[in-house]
Amino acid sequence: MSNKSIIIIINYASAVLILSLLLFVSSTAASAAEDENKKLSRKECEELGFTGLALCSDCNALSEYIKDQELLSDCRKCCDEDSDDATSKIIYAGAVLEVCMRKLVFYPEVVNFIEDEKEKFPSVKVQYSFNAPPKLIMLDDAGQQKEIIRIDNWKREHIIEFLREKLKPTSTV
């Protein structure tokens, strides 16, 4: 076999190897993109702390305050797409703010809300439950639980804004 033949074989083998690597890289990238867009099951979302009827616009709002890309990615895997019609905005009749009284010391923003702002929301009841992380349990007109939102790291202003957007206005006599 001549040197020229060996060089041709080596060039051919190199080309095949490069082509194989390119195919592998492109299939890996496509697989990663599919994983990024893959929706998680309800159980998987609950294990991650995403419960209820989160809309994808809520994940976008979350991204303004949270910079953890993995958390935002998980949020998007658990959210429902927003609808354009006006009736799609979910409004609740009331809410229960559930928290463990012993753990309140770790959540000063929740304490500030309860002490200073809660009276502005008559349809919100505070419920103390042993070992419960702070959460809002959103209720329908029949008083049935419809959504649970953890508020561990929320600021008082965020709790107020969320309740103003999600609760039916109450008439004051």
Side-chain angles (χ1 to χ4, degrees), residues 136-148:
L136 286 169
I137 302 169
M138 307 309 289
L139 308 172
D140 65 8
D141 290 326
Q144 297 298 310
Q145 172 182 317
K146 289 298 172 188
E147 183 175 7
I148 299 174

Side-chain angles (χ1 to χ4, degrees), residues 9 13-14 18 23 27-28 35 39 49 63 69 74 103 121 137-138 145 152 154 157 164 168 170-171:
I9 292 171
S14 297
I18 290 172
L23 288 172
S27 69
T28 303
D35 286 348
K39 292 291 184 183
S63 71
Q69 292 305 311
D74 289 343
K103 291 184 176 183
F121 299 93
I137 302 169
M138 307 309 289
Q145 172 182 317
D152 308 53
W154 287 24
E157 298 80 28
R164 283 185 181 145
K168 288 182 182 176
T170 55
S171 59

Side-chain angles (χ1 to χ4, degrees), residues 28-171:
T28 303
S31 175
E34 284 177 16
D35 286 348
E36 181 67 27
N37 295 328
K38 182 184 132 197
K39 292 291 184 183
L40 297 176
S41 71
R42 181 179 179 100
K43 182 175 172 129
E44 290 170 314
C45 290
E46 287 177 359
E47 288 172 0
L48 290 170
F50 297 102
T51 59
L53 306 169
L55 297 175
C56 292
S57 61
D58 295 334
C59 297
N60 295 336
L62 181 65
S63 71
E64 294 177 26
Y65 305 102
I66 306 294
K67 300 304 176 197
D68 182 342
Q69 292 305 311
E70 185 177 353
L71 177 64
L72 296 172
S73 173
D74 289 343
C75 182
R76 288 186 179 96
K77 290 177 186 176
C78 293
C79 68
D80 291 325
E81 291 299 325
D82 298 28
S83 175
D84 288 335
D85 61 26
T87 60
S88 71
K89 186 166 180 161
I90 301 168
I91 302 293
Y92 299 100
V96 174
L97 193 161
E98 184 180 84
V99 66
C100 176
M101 189 175 283
R102 292 181 179 186
K103 291 184 176 183
L104 270 176
V105 67
F106 301 111
Y107 305 107
E109 295 289 336
V110 175
V111 171
N112 289 338
F113 171 80
I114 293 170
E115 291 176 351
D116 301 335
E117 306 291 339
K118 194 254 167 238
E119 72 274 355
K120 297 176 185 172
F121 299 93
S123 62
V124 175
K125 308 297 179 222
V126 178
Q127 176 178 307
Y128 296 103
S129 180
F130 180 72
N131 216 20
K135 60 186 156 216
L136 286 169
I137 302 169
M138 307 309 289
L139 308 172
D140 65 8
D141 290 326
Q144 297 298 310
Q145 172 182 317
K146 289 298 172 188
E147 183 175 7
I148 299 174
I149 301 113
R150 295 269 306 254
I151 59 170
D152 308 53
N153 298 314
W154 287 24
K155 295 197 176 297
R156 174 173 60 175
E157 298 80 28
H158 301 147
I159 298 170
I160 294 167
E161 180 181 344
F162 179 83
L163 292 174
R164 283 185 181 145
E165 289 179 10
K166 293 292 188 175
L167 288 179
K168 288 182 182 176
T170 55
S171 59

